[in-house]
Amino acid sequence: MNSRTKLVCTLGPASATPKMVRGLVEAGASVFRINCSHGTTHDHARGVAIVREVEESTGLALAVLADLPGPKVRLADVHPDPYTFRPGQRFELRAQGPPDVNGAATTYPGLAGDLREGDRILLADGAVELTVIVVEKDMVVTECVRAGTVRSRQGVNVPAERLGLPPVTDRDREMLRQVLELGADLVAQSFVRDPTDIEQLRDAMGDRRVPIVAKIETRPAVEDFERILDVADAAMVARGDLGVELPMEEIPLIQKRLLRAARIAGRPVIVATQMLESMIRSPRPTRAEANDVATAVLDGADAIMLSGETAVGDYPFEAASAATRIARAVESEGAEYRAAQPPCMHAGEAAAVAHAAASIVAEDSDVVAITCYTTTGRTAALLSAERPRVPIHAFIPDVDVRRANGLVWGVETHAAGRPDDTDQMIAMMDQALRAAGVAADGDTVVMAAAMPAGRTTTNMLKVHQVGLMEV
């Protein structure tokens, strides 16, 4: 049995085979991430094809999440490679030109125009810290504050609020075109700074618009998170670059605050980066990593994401299994330690119905499941945000929407037709619950849907006895 907290696994050389993807599904994965910062178009196409092959063989709806590179600044080549910094040494970040022992170019020629004296620059996710000494035309002269070693093409982190790169780069647009043609179900947008970034990416999608996951990894995004949630379909607490841009001691509380805000907004949220990092090379996680996964679950994450653990690690199946086992144990035994349920805002009929459904479940121990019929998946997300004690079974006609719901906590999706009326809708859900073994005759379920059938807003709530249809 899988956990109600969903699992996102990153595809890579360690996992891009039908056998391994099938194993990851058995371990609990419902969403597969393609990291567009790495690999070729052929690699990405192969990954999508494998997921679709496994989807067909298992009968499960599996989602592909394409993670765009975003406006990330990187070093060009360094010399020597790897390059070791010494405390106090000067190092030049140039607009162009070959590398030498005194400096190297970056992938962003306009970097000098965005920086000023005293700014902090981090290389390779914080392995090296530099301070800007002087800015000269198209070159930034820095001094090494914290020594370390970097390699070619590693990241250059500067204050995001002043970075002049566009939120959707030319490379993003080309990658977006490719992954939409490949059939990606979700797109993650890197280095989001404000709501207009999301709107630009959505406009770039053209006719095929898929849900956007806003990656929160900059200070401006943290400060503007509520408004970002208004336009994004989901969010990701991307703790890698977030932990570089902000003081590390702030990240745990920021994570809790962001998860709470997403719950209030009814938006799915993923917690990512170094969840089980040691399992890249070890078959068991550390105690600290187990606690990290458990904390994310208790904080209310809809999903947790594995990156290098499944992309390049030696133990991808074991990592996925460990994440699921930890989440399942916390869900079954840790109810008293979970983050408090945020207040219901009752913003519209659907939210009020979702809150009422969860209230009925809380008060009636005989209820075994909540079901909903939804064409957009929004009702399932609102029900999920209430974190009911019973599973949510969402009946969804569109396979793309079923796949995207692989991110939503506690939701199991089912294929569905388009009923002619409300009675047909109820009968369809009743029959499917019995066929799937979810409920038996006489069991009590709570049903949420639109009435009359075809209405776009959920406004009906029914306490239903399975197998006892009204005549």
Side-chain angles (χ1 to χ4, degrees):
M1 185 174 113
N2 290 333
S3 64
R4 301 179 75 185
T5 304
K6 299 301 181 69
L7 179 62
V8 182
C9 289
T10 302
L11 293 179
S15 53
T17 66
K19 181 178 180 181
M20 184 53 69
V21 169
R22 190 173 293 109
L24 293 175
V25 171
E26 292 172 357
S30 57
V31 179
F32 290 89
R33 169 179 174 250
I34 292 175
N35 187 352
C36 295
S37 296
H38 302 286
T40 65
T41 302
H42 174 77
D43 295 331
H44 303 156
R46 174 67 177 151
V48 175
I50 290 171
V51 173
R52 295 295 177 244
E53 178 183 334
V54 174
E55 180 181 60
E56 185 174 355
S57 66
T58 60
L60 300 172
L62 303 176
V64 172
L65 168 64
D67 194 341
L68 301 179
K72 174 98 171 176
V73 181
R74 295 183 180 275
L75 289 167
D77 292 335
V78 296
H79 179 77
D81 190 0
Y83 185 100
T84 300
F85 283 80
R86 303 182 313 276
Q89 82 168 86
R90 297 288 179 101
F91 190 82
E92 299 169 355
L93 295 174
R94 305 163 181 155
Q96 58 185 350
D100 55 39
V101 294
N102 297 315
T106 73
T107 57
Y108 176 35
L111 182 63
D114 295 343
L115 294 176
R116 53 179 175 251
E117 185 178 324
D119 278 344
R120 184 179 72 151
I121 299 174
L122 298 176
L123 305 180
D125 291 337
V128 173
E129 181 176 345
L130 309 174
T131 296
V132 176
I133 302 301
V134 64
V135 177
E136 300 176 352
K137 222 172 194 182
D138 58 357
M139 182 172 68
V140 181
V141 181
T142 70
E143 180 180 318
C144 179
V145 176
R146 184 173 65 248
T149 300
V150 303
R151 296 180 181 274
S152 298
R153 305 294 168 181
Q154 290 196 298
V156 179
N157 285 84
V158 301
E161 60 269 21
R162 292 211 306 277
L163 191 63
L165 281 170
V168 183
T169 66
D170 290 343
R171 187 182 180 203
D172 286 333
R173 292 177 187 278
E174 177 57 24
M175 286 288 182
L176 178 65
R177 182 189 64 77
Q178 292 177 9
V179 296
L180 291 179
E181 287 179 356
L182 291 174
D185 305 293
L186 304 135
V187 170
Q189 185 173 9
S190 298
F191 301 101
V192 170
R193 286 168 278 192
D194 62 52
T196 62
D197 295 354
I198 306 289
E199 292 164 353
Q200 285 190 38
L201 182 64
R202 185 165 284 120
D203 289 343
M205 288 181 176
D207 294 335
R208 186 172 188 266
R209 298 193 171 191
V210 301
I212 296 174
V213 180
K215 293 176 67 177
I216 308 304
E217 47 196 340
T218 68
R219 183 185 295 275
V222 171
E223 294 172 349
D224 210 6
F225 187 57
E226 284 77 10
R227 289 204 312 131
I228 288 172
L229 287 176
D230 287 339
V231 295
D233 302 285
M236 180 191 298
V237 184
R239 303 177 305 178
D241 283 282
L242 188 61
V244 172
E245 175 144 338
L246 296 170
M248 64 177 180
E249 63 271 18
E250 295 182 14
I251 302 304
L253 293 181
I254 288 173
Q255 174 175 309
K256 292 178 183 295
R257 179 163 69 82
L258 297 182
L259 291 178
R260 179 177 174 82
R263 289 268 299 282
I264 292 173
R267 294 287 191 271
V269 61
I270 308 165
V271 174
T273 316
Q274 297 178 327
M275 301 300 295
L276 299 173
E277 183 85 355
S278 72
M279 292 193 75
I280 292 176
R281 297 290 174 257
S282 170
R284 288 177 58 82
T286 67
R287 276 77 169 171
E289 288 167 340
N291 272 278
D292 189 29
V293 173
T295 296
V297 174
L298 291 172
D299 285 348
D302 285 80
I304 54 178
M305 189 175 92
L306 301 180
S307 300
E309 299 95 330
T310 57
V312 296
D314 294 334
Y315 302 96
F317 175 79
E318 290 82 356
S321 298
T324 300
R325 290 200 312 275
I326 295 165
R328 192 168 58 227
V330 171
E331 290 164 359
S332 62
E333 303 295 334
E336 63 185 297
Y337 306 110
R338 283 192 311 211
Q341 180 68 20
C344 175
M345 307 306 289
H346 295 295
E349 290 177 305
V353 168
H355 181 71
S359 299
I360 292 170
V361 167
E363 295 173 4
D364 188 346
S365 60
D366 290 334
V367 176
V368 299
I370 297 177
T371 72
C372 66
Y373 180 87
T374 174
T375 56
T376 65
R378 181 64 176 153
T379 301
L382 290 169
L383 288 166
S384 171
E386 297 287 339
R387 294 300 191 264
R389 64 170 180 82
V390 298
I392 302 163
H393 291 269
F395 292 83
I396 304 173
D398 192 328
V399 66
D400 292 338
V401 179
R402 290 201 301 276
R403 289 169 177 160
N405 267 258
L407 275 185
V408 185
W409 184 94
V411 174
E412 300 295 329
T413 63
H414 304 263
R418 297 184 182 272
D420 296 327
D421 54 41
T422 303
D423 288 343
Q424 191 179 89
M425 180 193 305
I426 293 171
M428 176 192 67
M429 291 193 286
D430 180 291
Q431 182 179 2
L433 291 173
R434 285 181 287 157
V438 172
D441 286 349
D443 283 343
T444 301
V445 299
V446 174
M447 292 183 170
M451 186 175 69
R455 194 174 187 269
T456 56
T457 302
T458 297
N459 63 345
M460 182 200 80
L461 190 63
K462 174 179 172 60
V463 178
H464 176 76
Q465 301 301 121
V466 174
L468 301 177
M469 295 296 298
E470 298 178 3
V471 180

